[in-house]
């Protein structure tokens, strides 16, 4: 896929982008975060793609290009893929566009030393042998009395179950009896985004000595977003970048050598000739990961929320749903995942109490 020439923006375009940002933020604030399908404009917004909304609202090619870049970076999808209502809900759940795209004070501000997997590893250590690994859940039998979960040679019985996996994976579990139609239709309409993540390693972070932050974005290069991923010790130098949406489609069709050449070429375009000779190149195509099927999270296609949105969080007998896409604040992020888990835990506790089961104080906290 050839790289298009960078968009040249006349001086008035940044001013108009600012107006478009304000309009999108106003729209996002008007969408009820908890139940966006109840918003006054829900039907109109959900009946169009985010691309259609931009076409009708953005008066310049530069403004549309800017929001396309944001959509690829935030959703790993194209504006044509997702509902305008989902975009407004998602932006509102984060507190506005700036919160989603900013580093300082925004979604990209912090990272976890050692990787975010440290959280899961620590939780697993605390839980001990209650965590069962390498057990792929394929069947869940359920009724009002509880659930029976079959995972290979392992069978688990419980009064309640919380299902907290991406919607495309939940659709692969066989439920008996089958789920109500609204829930089944919902998961068919919430795909994952598509992204190839790359880490390019250099013997030193040469961009820092040149006075650069290591952050770069482009509305024309396939490697549309880049950040400094150098470890806390300062060496080696690492740039992390993302091929997202249609750029991930393009990258996935290249062989490894050509994909590497494309990525390194884009880094040269950003940071100059010193980026041409990395000492290591690491990549992950998340669409090919069996237990995610994409990144960064599920999104709703047009018509999904107004028709099937209530099924996103509503429990079905002993089955409860969690996952960051079901959050009301910071949907799509770790914060949203935590919120959804707390909500599901409250639902489980309330359900058990209603059936006469007494919980210890620690179980209700």
């Amino acid at each position: 896929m050839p790289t298009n020439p960078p968009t040249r923006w006349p001086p008035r375009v940044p001013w108009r982008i600012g107006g478009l940002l304000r309009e999108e933020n106003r729209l996002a604030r008007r969408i009820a975060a908890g139940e966006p399908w109840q918003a006054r404009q829900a039907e109109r917004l959900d009946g169009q793609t985010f691309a259609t909304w931009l076409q009708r609202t953005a008066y310049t090619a530069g403004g549309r290009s800017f929001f396309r870049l944001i959509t690829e970076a935030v959703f790993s999808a194209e504006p044509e893929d997702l509902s305008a209502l989902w975009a407004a809900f998602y932006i509102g759940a984060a507190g506005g566009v700036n919160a989603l795209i900013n580093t300082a004070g925004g979604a990209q501000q912090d990272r976890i030393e050692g990787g975010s997997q440290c959280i899961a590893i620590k939780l697993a250590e605390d839980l001990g042998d209650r965590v069962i690994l390498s057990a792929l859940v394929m069947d869940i039998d359920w009724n009002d009395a509880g659930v029976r979960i079959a995972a290979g040679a392992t069978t688990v019985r419980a009064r309640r179950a919380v299902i907290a996996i991406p919607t495309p994976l939940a659709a692969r579990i066989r439920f008996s009896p089958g789920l109500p139609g609204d829930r089944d239709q919902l998961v068919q309409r919430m795909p994952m985004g598509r992204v190839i993540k790359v880490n390019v390693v250099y013997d030193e972070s040469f961009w820092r000595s040149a006075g650069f932050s290591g952050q770069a974005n482009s509305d024309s290069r396939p490697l549309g977003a880049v950040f400094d991923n150098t470890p806390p010790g300062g060496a080696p130098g690492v740039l992390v970048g993302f091929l997202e949406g249609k750029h991930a489609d393009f990258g996935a069709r290249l062989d490894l050598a050509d994909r590497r050449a494309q990525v390194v070429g884009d880094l040269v375009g950003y940071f100059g000739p010193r980026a041409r000779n990395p000492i290591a190149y690491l990549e992950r195509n998340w669409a090919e990961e069996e237990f995610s099927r994409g990144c960064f999270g599920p999104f709703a296609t047009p018509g999904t929320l107004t028709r099937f949105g209530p099924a996103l969080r509503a429990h079905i007998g002993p089955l409860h749903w969690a996952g960051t896409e079901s959050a009301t604040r910071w949907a799509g992020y770790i914060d949203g995942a935590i919120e959804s888990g707390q909500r599901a835990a409250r639902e489980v506790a309330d359900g058990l109490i209603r059936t006469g089961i007494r919980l210890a104080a620690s179980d209700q906290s």
Side-chain angles (χ1 to χ4, degrees), residues 143-159:
N143 55 40
D144 289 341
V147 298
R148 175 184 175 276
I149 299 171
T154 300
T155 299
V156 175
R157 297 180 186 275
R159 293 186 178 92

Side-chain angles (χ1 to χ4, degrees), residues 1 20 33 48 71 76 79 84 116 131 172 183 202 240 245 247 291 299 306 335 357:
M1 186 172 108
L20 185 59
Q48 60 185 301
T71 305
S76 295
S116 55
V131 177
R172 296 184 176 193
R183 177 70 198 185
Y202 298 89
V240 60
H247 302 302
F291 299 117
F299 60 85
T306 49
D335 304 59
I357 296 174

Side-chain angles (χ1 to χ4, degrees), residues 25-42:
N25 284 334
R26 281 195 296 268
L27 176 63
R29 285 194 297 271
R30 291 196 294 267
I31 301 300
E35 297 182 333
W37 48 88
Q38 298 283 9
R40 183 169 57 86
Q41 303 177 62

Side-chain angles (χ1 to χ4, degrees), residues 161-231:
V162 177
I163 301 165
I165 56 177
T167 50
L169 297 186
R172 296 184 176 193
I173 297 175
R174 291 187 292 267
F175 293 90
S176 180
L179 300 180
D182 279 7
R183 177 70 198 185
D184 194 57
Q185 290 292 316
L186 175 77
V187 298
Q188 294 182 55
R189 289 165 167 80
M190 292 192 69
M192 298 287 282
R194 191 166 186 187
V195 59
I196 301 174
K197 181 178 181 180
V198 299
N199 279 278
V200 186
V201 185
Y202 298 89
D203 54 3
E204 62 174 325
S205 50
F206 61 85
W207 53 92
R208 293 185 179 183
S209 58
F212 294 118
S213 67
Q215 182 175 346
N217 297 93
S218 172
D219 65 340
S220 58
R221 295 185 182 280
L223 194 71
V226 179
F227 295 92
D228 186 335
N229 200 30
T230 301

Side-chain angles (χ1 to χ4, degrees), residues 48-308:
Q48 60 185 301
T49 66
F50 192 39
T52 300
W53 184 88
L54 289 173
Q55 190 69 33
R56 293 171 175 171
T57 309
Y59 299 112
T60 64
R64 292 188 292 272
S65 177
F66 176 75
F67 263 87
R68 181 171 294 277
L69 175 62
I70 289 176
T71 305
E72 291 169 352
V74 171
F75 299 99
S76 295
E78 300 300 317
E80 291 83 1
D81 296 330
L82 61 147
S83 158
L85 180 62
W86 178 264
F89 152 71
Y90 197 96
I91 291 168
V97 175
N98 287 338
L100 284 173
I101 64 177
N102 281 351
T103 303
Q108 314 306 322
Q109 174 174 284
D110 299 314
R111 63 178 183 175
I112 300 167
E113 186 171 341
S116 55
Q117 69 271 17
C118 292
I119 299 174
I121 291 170
K122 178 59 179 173
L123 287 170
E125 290 173 352
D126 291 344
L127 291 168
D129 59 9
R130 287 176 288 180
V131 177
I132 302 172
L133 301 177
S134 301
L136 177 60
V137 174
M138 294 301 298
D139 296 276
I140 298 180
D141 297 337
W142 62 278
N143 55 40
D144 289 341
V147 298
R148 175 184 175 276
I149 299 171
T154 300
T155 299
V156 175
R157 297 180 186 275
R159 293 186 178 92
R160 301 266 164 167
V162 177
I163 301 165
I165 56 177
T167 50
L169 297 186
R172 296 184 176 193
I173 297 175
R174 291 187 292 267
F175 293 90
S176 180
L179 300 180
D182 279 7
R183 177 70 198 185
D184 194 57
Q185 290 292 316
L186 175 77
V187 298
Q188 294 182 55
R189 289 165 167 80
M190 292 192 69
M192 298 287 282
R194 191 166 186 187
V195 59
I196 301 174
K197 181 178 181 180
V198 299
N199 279 278
V200 186
V201 185
Y202 298 89
D203 54 3
E204 62 174 325
S205 50
F206 61 85
W207 53 92
R208 293 185 179 183
S209 58
F212 294 118
S213 67
Q215 182 175 346
N217 297 93
S218 172
D219 65 340
S220 58
R221 295 185 182 280
L223 194 71
V226 179
F227 295 92
D228 186 335
N229 200 30
T230 301
V238 183
L239 292 170
V240 60
F242 303 88
L243 298 157
E244 296 158 319
K246 67 177 185 291
H247 302 302
D249 300 341
F250 155 68
R253 294 171 189 136
L254 301 176
D255 62 29
L256 175 60
D258 288 342
R259 190 164 52 248
R260 183 184 187 279
Q262 176 69 60
V263 167
V264 172
D266 284 346
L267 291 176
V268 170
Y270 288 133
F271 300 106
R274 292 192 66 183
R276 195 178 304 281
N277 299 303
I279 60 175
Y281 172 89
L282 306 170
E283 68 172 25
R284 179 69 66 191
N285 183 350
W286 285 102
E288 296 178 352
E289 287 295 309
E290 181 180 4
F291 299 117
S292 70
R293 309 313 301 165
C295 264
F296 299 110
F299 60 85
T301 55
T304 298
L305 288 179
T306 49
R307 295 173 66 190
F308 309 113

